[in-house]
Amino acid sequence: MSNNNIPRWNLDSLYPSLDSKEYKNDLSELENTFSLLQDMLNKTDKNSFPEWLNSYIDLLNKESSLLKTLQAFAYIIYSTDTTNPLFMNNLNKMDDYDAQSTQLYIKFSEILAENKDKLENFYKEYPEKKEYSYLLNEIIEDKKHQMSAAEEALASKMSHTGSSAWSLLQEQIISNLKDENGKTFNELRNDANEASPELRKKSWEKEIELLAQNRIAFGAALNNLKGEKIALNEKRGWKEGIDNALFNSRLSKNTLNALIGAIEDSLPMWRKYFQAKADILRKNGLTQSKTAGTKEHPGIAFYDLFAPVEKPNALGNSNSLISKKWTFKEACDYVVDEYNSFSKNMGDFAKNAIENQWIDAEVRPGKVGGAYDEDFPKGHQSRILSNFTGTFSDIITLAHELGHAFHFSCMKNKAPLFFNYPMTLAETASTFAETIVKQDMIEKSQGSDRMKILDLDLTDASQVLVDILCRFYFEESVFQARKSSELTADDFCRLMQEAQEKSYGNGLNDEKTADGKNYTERHEYMWAVKSHYYIPELDFYNFPYAFGQLFAAGLYQRAKKEGSDFAKTYEMLLSQTGSMSCEELCLKAGFDITKKDFWKSGIEMYAKEVEEYCKF
């Protein structure tokens, strides 16, 4: 445990250190597995293809387990000490291993495509491998979007000093930014949740200032990263960036259109919520904005989006679960209790993760912001990073990330190749875990506390739906604009302003500067903040969150109807997320996600909350 009993994680059951015998042994084993795979690729016997494929899949599972474990370990140690050159070099080394794996994959996909007519016989001879049919067909389809082996090898190698390097630059700048008092950028971001209106605005202004100081670097990083991806997409036969993202998400364009359409239809409702919150803050003297929440400018100031709807001196109320300052132990106990209310298996899992020190929650310099879960095939365990400050929203974050880890635990009896489930379904599990916590709190709360938990739920949901839609619009516009020209920081700021107007509209304060070129209380630099835009292999790392939010809402409504019996169904769904498309899996739960009506049914839960919230 670190200061104030906020923990750092224990990694001993993974690797004691980079110099440990265990770590070096697994590196050696991975390299040996690469060699064995390469030998098999060089000795393909078409006359005994089923036997060859059966052996190759088994060996591929071993490679997947080792590589995933080593890569995840390299990232988690780097993410808590981003300036450590040893960790940086090790992360780069993992890129080399990933490149080797990619080359083996390309050759395997060629052989598989050439022998696809033999798959039926393969499943007859090895019926236990029938469960791999979706994955093998996906590899064959992916083969259509590959460059030559030499070109893919060159692209992978050059990414180390290209897109991957730009991505690391953005992350390093963000994780090491500080104000003149030594306050980290992530701490400034966390102030958005504070009760003090002065602190929220001051930290927002400082955040904008720090980002603006580094605008050239951020702009160059995003411009070059997206430029590289557009060139590769064209060479690989993807018409648009979104096509590749949909394939990786195992989602159809019809489903995405239905999802986006339903969210767009709900925008008037969300703007009503933002304006209601702006009005509450203004009436209670809880905003530093001179115009937000007025008749002329009814929208909320950006720095007030996460503001608690209560007066600062109310924070001392020890009876309020929403406003109190939580210790880390209290937060953990609360999440475990809430998980238990749905499923003992889920509660026991969370308790075990906490007791085995799987969580690094301390805020400190050099550590990346936000939160994530990393899963390790080795020992089938996970590690969770968060930045715990004691707010109720930190509890929701803890529930969210533990939900990811529980998802992985439900796949314990699956082979490692099935662990690569898409973000769409990954976000369903984490958001469902959040929903359990928040909906239970809403049911238990009355009066002021009920308004506050409703506000918290609506704030979170609006971020996942409205802000995600904003990010979707922004990234879509970036891909289109970058096709024809280089983009600068000014271009990205303009595109972000347009995306915020299209999504938030007058839900955000629409006051402009005297020249009418900029909004005074929005955030044109959000493109520099969100690391999602800078992940080379994950374009449109946004709509999966909206998918998860609304699918989780649908699952929660079903859980309420079916009671405790639904827990088994839920665990079964999670266990199969790596085996089929989103549409197929959702049909197992009785949902047709290609229709807008399904997504609207999930939004209805929040529509009822907005109506109640507007009455306070």
Side-chain angles (χ1 to χ4, degrees):
M1 288 285 183
S2 56
N3 294 336
N4 301 318
N5 293 320
I6 298 178
R8 299 186 182 189
W9 49 35
N10 186 313
L11 305 180
D12 290 347
S13 61
L14 291 166
Y15 304 107
S17 71
L18 294 181
D19 293 325
S20 67
K21 178 180 65 176
E22 295 88 345
Y23 184 78
K24 292 179 179 178
N25 284 345
D26 276 1
L27 281 178
S28 178
E29 190 65 22
L30 177 62
E31 291 171 356
N32 182 57
T33 304
F34 282 153
S35 296
L36 292 173
L37 286 168
Q38 186 64 62
D39 288 344
M40 288 194 69
L41 291 171
N42 293 335
K43 300 175 183 177
T44 309
D45 185 350
K46 294 183 178 180
N47 294 323
S48 59
F49 181 76
E51 180 181 357
W52 178 90
L53 182 57
N54 182 58
S55 298
Y56 195 88
I57 288 175
D58 291 342
L59 195 56
L60 198 57
N61 272 310
K62 182 178 181 180
E63 181 230 41
S64 179
S65 177
L66 287 165
L67 183 59
K68 169 61 177 172
T69 296
L70 290 165
Q71 285 179 321
F73 184 75
Y75 181 72
I76 68 169
I77 60 174
Y78 158 79
S79 70
T80 55
D81 190 3
T82 58
T83 59
N84 188 315
L86 180 64
F87 294 167
M88 173 78 67
N89 290 335
N90 186 61
L91 198 61
N92 290 333
K93 185 177 183 179
M94 289 304 117
D95 285 341
D96 293 334
Y97 285 131
D98 191 60
Q100 289 185 57
S101 179
T102 298
Q103 288 305 297
L104 293 170
Y105 170 84
I106 292 170
K107 182 61 177 177
F108 173 59
S109 65
E110 291 175 354
I111 293 172
L112 190 63
E114 290 170 0
N115 293 275
K116 61 183 178 181
D117 59 324
K118 298 182 178 66
L119 285 177
E120 185 175 349
N121 190 42
F122 166 69
Y123 298 131
K124 288 180 180 178
E125 291 189 33
Y126 299 95
E128 72 277 10
K129 291 296 197 294
K130 181 65 177 176
E131 64 177 333
Y132 288 86
S133 60
Y134 180 84
L135 299 185
L136 295 178
N137 288 333
E138 187 176 50
I139 292 171
I140 293 171
E141 180 63 27
D142 187 38
K143 175 65 181 67
K144 300 175 183 178
H145 297 283
Q146 289 177 13
M147 300 183 291
S148 70
E151 288 172 325
E152 289 290 355
L154 181 60
S156 179
K157 186 174 183 179
M158 292 186 69
S159 71
H160 299 174
T161 53
S163 57
S164 294
W166 289 116
S167 179
L168 284 175
L169 175 64
Q170 185 270 347
E171 192 170 71
Q172 287 175 326
I173 293 174
I174 289 291
S175 61
N176 289 283
L177 284 179
K178 298 177 183 178
D179 69 8
E180 60 275 11
N181 299 314
K183 197 169 191 176
T184 69
F185 185 81
N186 291 325
E187 289 174 326
L188 290 169
R189 294 275 299 157
N190 286 334
D191 286 344
N193 300 290
E194 290 295 327
S196 167
E198 295 85 0
L199 179 59
R200 290 197 305 273
K201 184 175 183 179
K202 181 180 178 181
S203 293
W204 168 78
E205 290 173 338
K206 180 56 64 173
E207 177 185 336
I208 298 290
E209 179 184 329
L210 290 173
L211 293 171
Q213 289 172 0
N214 291 273
R215 65 198 309 273
I216 295 176
F218 288 131
L222 192 56
N223 173 69
N224 291 316
L225 196 151
K226 293 305 183 188
E228 177 183 312
K229 194 56 180 286
I230 288 170
L232 289 173
N233 280 344
E234 182 179 349
K235 185 67 176 176
R236 288 170 175 152
W238 297 108
K239 292 183 179 179
E240 302 291 343
I242 190 64
D243 296 330
N244 188 14
L246 286 170
F247 179 79
N248 292 334
S249 297
R250 295 176 179 169
L251 197 71
S252 72
K253 189 66 175 291
N254 286 340
T255 298
L256 177 64
N257 289 339
L259 171 63
I260 296 298
I263 298 173
E264 289 174 333
D265 290 347
S266 73
L267 289 177
M269 174 196 83
W270 290 114
R271 291 168 184 173
K272 180 179 179 181
Y273 159 65
F274 294 134
Q275 292 176 2
K277 181 167 184 173
D279 183 60
I280 290 173
L281 294 175
R282 176 155 297 283
K283 286 180 177 177
N284 289 280
L286 301 177
T287 180
Q288 281 286 290
S289 174
K290 296 180 180 179
T291 57
T294 63
K295 183 177 180 181
E296 295 79 12
H297 304 285
I300 192 169
F302 193 93
Y303 50 81
D304 285 337
L305 281 170
F306 300 96
V309 284
E310 62 178 347
K311 294 183 178 179
N313 59 14
L315 289 175
N317 180 6
S318 60
N319 295 320
S320 172
L321 295 178
I322 310 303
S323 302
K324 66 174 284 187
K325 195 80 168 179
W326 292 73
T327 66
F328 185 76
K329 183 180 184 306
E330 289 173 334
C332 290
D333 290 344
Y334 184 74
V335 170
V336 170
D337 287 344
E338 292 302 309
Y339 275 19
N340 276 325
S341 70
F342 170 69
S343 160
K344 187 176 185 301
N345 285 346
M346 203 168 172
D348 288 346
F349 169 80
K351 186 172 184 291
N352 177 72
I354 294 163
E355 291 178 348
N356 284 282
Q357 294 177 258
W358 285 7
I359 304 171
D360 190 304
E362 182 190 44
V363 178
R364 57 186 183 274
K367 178 179 176 181
V368 299
Y372 67 71
D373 162 71
E374 278 285 356
D375 301 319
F376 298 82
K378 181 178 181 177
H380 209 94
Q381 55 189 303
S382 301
R383 290 299 184 275
I384 291 166
L385 178 141
S386 67
N387 286 274
F388 186 84
T389 60
T391 66
F392 190 77
S393 64
D394 289 334
I395 299 176
I396 302 304
T397 297
L398 189 62
H400 180 101
E401 301 304 339
L402 280 168
H404 277 305
F406 178 69
H407 183 176
F408 183 62
S409 76
C410 290
M411 306 185 79
K412 193 167 187 176
N413 296 321
K414 293 287 186 179
L417 288 177
F418 293 103
F419 297 162
N420 296 317
Y421 42 85
M423 277 293 302
T424 39
L425 299 176
E427 288 309 313
T428 294
S430 55
T431 308
F432 181 79
E434 277 189 39
T435 304
I436 292 172
V437 174
K438 288 187 284 191
Q439 291 299 315
D440 182 69
M441 177 57 71
I442 290 173
E443 291 181 9
K444 291 178 179 177
S445 300
Q446 299 294 327
S448 176
D449 261 10
R450 188 173 180 87
M451 178 183 72
K452 285 180 278 188
I453 186 60
L454 281 173
D455 182 69
L456 178 63
D457 195 30
L458 290 171
T459 295
D460 289 346
S462 66
Q463 282 296 295
V464 176
L465 298 178
V466 182
D467 199 68
I468 285 298
L469 183 63
C470 176
R471 298 182 212 180
F472 178 81
Y473 287 151
F474 171 76
E475 194 157 7
E476 197 172 43
S477 66
V478 167
F479 267 104
Q480 291 301 317
R482 186 62 181 84
K483 285 181 180 179
S484 56
S485 66
E486 300 282 326
L487 300 178
T488 66
D490 285 342
D491 294 317
F492 292 127
C493 285
R494 172 179 52 79
L495 293 174
M496 180 55 72
Q497 284 190 19
E498 292 173 359
Q500 287 181 352
E501 175 60 21
K502 191 175 178 182
S503 52
Y504 284 94
N506 62 2
L508 279 181
N509 188 357
D510 55 5
E511 181 186 36
K512 287 192 172 186
T513 54
D515 59 12
K517 294 182 178 180
N518 297 292
Y519 293 96
T520 59
E521 293 189 326
R522 295 190 179 184
H523 199 319
E524 64 181 2
Y525 281 98
M526 282 308 293
W527 59 271
V529 176
K530 297 298 181 182
S531 61
H532 293 177
Y533 298 128
Y534 298 82
I535 302 176
E537 65 276 13
L538 288 176
D539 299 316
F540 290 95
Y541 193 71
N542 38 56
F543 66 80
Y545 286 95
F547 180 105
Q549 184 80 32
L550 295 182
F551 189 38
L555 290 176
Y556 182 78
Q557 295 300 321
R558 180 168 170 179
K560 287 182 66 176
K561 293 178 181 178
E562 297 186 14
S564 59
D565 290 342
F566 182 72
K568 292 181 180 179
T569 301
Y570 179 65
E571 290 180 28
M572 179 275 294
L573 286 171
L574 295 185
S575 73
Q576 296 184 10
T577 48
S579 309
M580 60 194 72
S581 70
C582 294
E583 287 80 10
E584 290 176 290
L585 185 72
C586 293
L587 280 176
K588 282 181 171 287
F591 303 129
D592 181 359
I593 62 174
T594 65
K595 300 290 189 290
K596 191 189 289 188
D597 287 347
F598 162 73
W599 301 108
K600 287 186 173 182
S601 69
I603 291 172
E604 285 174 5
M605 183 173 81
Y606 300 110
K608 293 177 182 177
E609 292 182 13
V610 170
E611 288 303 313
E612 181 178 355
Y613 182 84
C614 289
K615 295 177 182 178
F616 282 105

